[in-house]
Amino acid sequence: MLAATVVAVAETGIAAPLRLLSETVDTITPKQVIDAPLYGVGVVQANGRAADLRSELEKSGITILGYVPEDAWIVRLTEATARSVPSLKNARWASEWKREWRIHPLVATNKSAQPERLELRLWNGSDSKPVFQLLDELGATGVIQRESDDNESRILFNIVPSSAVELAALEAVAWIEPAPVASPRLNTSTWVIQSNQMEVGSLWNRDLTGAGQILGHLDTSIDPNVCYFLDSTVKNNSPGLNHRKMLKIYNTDGFPGSHGTRTAGAAVGLREDLSLDHAGIAYDSRFVHGSTTKISGLDDKPSTLKSAFNRAQRDGAFIHTNSWGDNNPDLRSYTHWCRDIDDYTWSSEDAVVVFAVANNDFQTDSVLTPENAKNCVAVSASLDSTRQHQWGIGTDGPTIDNRLKPEIMAPGVNISMPAADSANCETEPATGTSYAAPQIAGLALLVRQYFMDGYHPTGSANSADEYTPSGALVRAMLLNGTTDMTGVGPQNDKLPYNHDFPNIREGWGRALSDNALFFAGENRGLQFVDRRHADGLSDGKSVTHMFSVSSSDEPLHITLVWTDPPAEHAAAVAIVNDLNLEVKTPDNAMYLGNVFSGSQSAVGGNADHINTVEQVRLSNPPPGLWSLTVRGHKVPLGPQGFAVVITGAVAKGNTEDIWFVY
């Protein structure tokens, strides 16, 4: 153990407290920031930009474990590297990483004398033996380690909650929280989210049907023998490369499930006779199915959610639909599942993860987990035609750290869906956000096909223009094309009846893909930029794009989306890399992303520092030369990729060659 180390507070730099889930830590007032040995796992705060401190820590050989706001790094210090902390030029404050910061408040304050199911995450590279030894000493039962295809280790166990405090004192322990349980979130809708014109499937009419795309479907078991999935040309209807629908089925529960059958059908179902009656949105796509039993930890080999996504991706699935979540009304924080989603999408840049928000019938009116992850598309449900402008079912936002969720809506009330255990293509009515989410996932498959079949920039399929979009670009396209819901009435006092757009019930509104995609012969143009992380923004840098608006007759929609790195559970705010959208008109009026008044973008206001989606929308934009800037306000874990979509009376083309870097 090292001798006591005292790190003085730096006189320079902008000081701000640590914003943790358990408490806000004053790092400004103390004259001495630590009076105990700084050894093992600690936290070091920057006196300026966190990215500069990160570089200095790495050069000093200090292992970085994670990031927490504001501008602080969780680190592992050895006897050798601990000595370098007082001399770090870019550090202003340091402390040990305390046990109370490693445990969810719901666990820390739980006085129950009965064992409860918990989940524990270890810091990467930690020795798990002391953890298993202490679990045994504390009398934990049902101890099982999740399967993972990366270095992250997580353990499920049953224990009296008060005993978890002892576990949190172990250096190897990163976080302890209530173990999640995946619960289901209980066809005219196909044209509603394409054209919103009666029986007009505008994407289908242009041969965008999901051909060549694969869906990752994680849900309860499906009935493989319903006509919407059946392939009688394949022996025993066995899933495989030659099957018309089912590429792979993992972890079946052993019986045909109604919920899983419906959600898969809503996304990719197609009758074997090829009739479009009750067809899914992406009816020519195939799917990979996995069971939520495994990620709930209800079998003998549970996996992490990230591992389940990676497994489906190895089978070709980059779009994933999920109509389930943890319905614990008290658990609204950034959980293991949230981190899995954000970690997966951060490392697999082409992926899109769609989640249904909780229905508002589980003793909660707020979004739960894991739809509160930063990088997933959170879906709520509208009524079906002819009342698709009205809210139907789904919990309100915002998230616990005030981010905008849900983000998008699709019909989900009294929808006619494929019926399990039926022999004659029977359907049944169903209601829930569960059935809105797979429609958005199906739409994401069509957007992905749009780029991969080379529809941009000519508006027609062209093999010379084939392009694989990032997940950020697909998300930006979905959200850029939404339309305001005019029938979002009051559910509670969080949302006044005369609401503005966007809002905590509809997010960015109902999906309407015709607003986002450009096709040959249309007046509305589409421009985009799509940058992976390797070509993204570094801390403090920005890029600017000039574009012309030829007419005020077309609305101007601009959407910035980025896929943020996973946050630490202990952080009170989930955002890590903060980008900002700035749009300047021909007469130099400045619009900041997500500053709205009266359902239109408004001049003035403050930049958004919590969301990974930013928009500017104007119904009647003045013609002339505009500028668009994406600014890397704070990028501690850069470079940060991003996507921008512009639609309106603009030229048709990719903007990548006309961005200016500053």
Side-chain angles (χ1 to χ4, degrees), residues 397-599:
T399 64
I400 198 170
D401 59 349
N402 215 36
R403 288 177 288 116
L404 184 64
K405 301 276 181 172
E407 296 167 294
I408 194 169
M409 302 189 77
V413 176
N414 203 30
I415 305 294
S416 186
M417 313 289 286
D421 203 19
S422 63
N424 298 310
C425 295
E426 296 170 6
T427 61
E428 56 189 351
T431 292
T433 56
S434 282
Y435 310 119
Q439 295 177 61
I440 297 301
L443 203 56
L445 290 166
L446 301 190
V447 170
R448 195 166 193 267
Q449 183 191 1
Y450 175 88
F451 288 106
M452 294 185 71
D453 284 2
Y455 277 78
H456 194 270
T458 65
S460 301
N462 183 355
S463 59
D465 294 320
E466 292 175 357
Y467 174 74
T468 300
S470 72
L473 178 56
V474 174
R475 288 168 59 205
M477 293 290 290
L478 291 172
L479 299 176
N480 196 69
T482 53
T483 185
D484 184 13
M485 302 273 291
T486 57
V488 183
Q491 174 184 324
N492 51 44
D493 59 3
K494 291 195 298 183
L495 187 67
Y497 188 80
N498 296 319
H499 68 279
D500 278 347
F501 167 89
N503 59 67
I504 59 175
R505 179 160 303 147
E506 64 173 312
W508 295 105
R510 193 186 71 250
L512 184 55
S513 56
D514 254 5
N515 282 355
L517 302 179
F518 162 72
F519 295 104
E522 293 183 341
N523 293 326
R524 181 184 63 256
L526 164 64
Q527 296 185 12
F528 75 90
V529 66
D530 191 18
R531 291 194 174 181
R532 284 3 186 235
H533 298 319
D535 299 314
L537 283 172
S538 297
D539 193 47
K541 303 298 182 181
S542 65
V543 291
T544 296
H545 164 57
M546 309 298 293
F547 65 98
S548 292
V549 174
S550 60
S551 169
S552 60
D553 294 338
E554 286 281 348
L556 179 66
H557 289 189
I558 302 173
T559 301
L560 164 69
V561 170
W562 67 97
T563 302
D564 203 40
E568 283 301 319
H569 301 297
V573 180
I575 194 74
V576 175
N577 290 337
D578 179 17
L579 307 187
N580 290 143
L581 174 65
E582 302 172 0
V583 178
K584 190 177 291 186
T585 69
D587 56 1
N588 288 322
M590 176 70 80
Y591 292 97
L592 301 178
N594 293 358
V595 176
F596 279 75
S597 178
S599 302

Side-chain angles (χ1 to χ4, degrees), residues 65 68 82 150 197 216 552 589:
L65 299 175
V68 291
D150 57 19
Q197 299 177 38
S552 60

